[in-house]
Amino acid sequence: AVVSTQSTGMPAHKVLKSRKLRGHVSHGHGRVGKHRKHSGGAGVAGGLKHLKTNFSKYHPDYFGKKGMNIFHRRKNATFEKSVFLNKIWNLIQFSEDKIDNLTRKQELINNEEQVPVIDCRKFGITKVLGGQLSCDKAIVVIAKSFSAPAVEEIERVGGKCVIA
């Protein structure tokens, strides 16, 4: 039943359809089909049976296998420890003291005639990845492999990439 709320200015309470359908057996959902929970099967059930047309039309590669099986994949065999160029200056360590390290690095950066050589192999790093160098000082980087953006950036500042 609708409650009049003209004095409060609020809208009247909506009469739900279920009130009208009281006494009618199937509540408007039909006697034959019935209003059941998952009549066609829950989720993607029936993709190869009664929903085959939909799956073959809109999701053609949903079923079946694709690619090659590698039965005993050893991820350690293909793992490469890598470093980004913006972190490569962190590999240069002079001593345990942080402040001493920073001052000596700054002296190395400001020195025009001395070019630092960073051997990534000493740290177990095999690949140098791209990014922006933290300072525009020429450096020589020794590693097993380099990404194309890394080579481009090192050569931009006048440095060299040594593959070893």
Side-chain angles (χ1 to χ4, degrees):
V2 178
V3 180
S4 177
T5 55
Q6 289 176 350
S7 60
T8 59
M10 293 173 63
H13 179 69
K14 182 181 165 192
V15 177
L16 298 176
K17 190 179 178 184
S18 60
R19 300 307 316 154
K20 185 185 262 188
L21 292 171
R22 288 286 184 226
H24 300 271
V25 175
S26 50
H27 249 250
H29 290 289
R31 283 175 184 272
V32 179
K34 299 182 188 67
H35 187 55
R36 299 276 161 87
K37 287 190 175 165
H38 304 288
S39 55
V44 289
L48 292 172
K49 299 286 185 181
H50 58 284
L51 300 176
K52 192 166 192 160
T53 316
N54 179 288
F55 272 77
S56 58
K57 186 175 181 181
Y58 298 111
H59 315 285
D61 298 326
Y62 185 82
F63 295 106
K65 294 181 180 181
K66 187 178 176 185
M68 289 171 21
N69 271 348
I70 299 170
F71 293 115
H72 184 61
R73 178 176 281 139
R74 296 176 310 282
K75 289 186 178 178
N76 287 350
T78 57
F79 176 76
E80 280 189 323
K81 196 173 177 186
S82 59
V83 66
F84 282 96
L85 278 179
N86 59 347
K87 303 280 185 191
I88 207 151
W89 279 92
N90 296 350
L91 298 179
I92 299 175
Q93 296 291 325
F94 295 105
S95 66
E96 294 294 318
D97 187 25
K98 283 185 178 180
I99 296 164
D100 183 44
N101 254 344
L102 285 171
T103 53
R104 290 186 60 188
K105 272 185 199 176
Q106 205 59 46
E107 288 169 12
L108 185 65
I109 290 165
N110 295 336
N111 191 342
E112 290 297 321
E113 55 216 36
Q114 201 176 12
V115 177
V117 177
I118 301 170
D119 192 352
C120 294
R121 298 171 303 174
K122 284 182 185 174
F123 303 98
I125 294 167
T126 54
K127 187 160 190 171
V128 178
L129 302 172
Q132 181 108 27
L133 276 165
S134 52
C135 66
D136 287 347
K137 167 102 172 135
I139 54 169
V140 176
V141 183
I142 302 168
K144 191 177 173 186
S145 62
F146 294 86
S147 69
V151 173
E152 192 178 298
E153 178 68 14
I154 291 168
E155 289 173 353
R156 183 187 67 81
V157 296
K160 280 200 154 201
C161 300
V162 180
I163 297 171

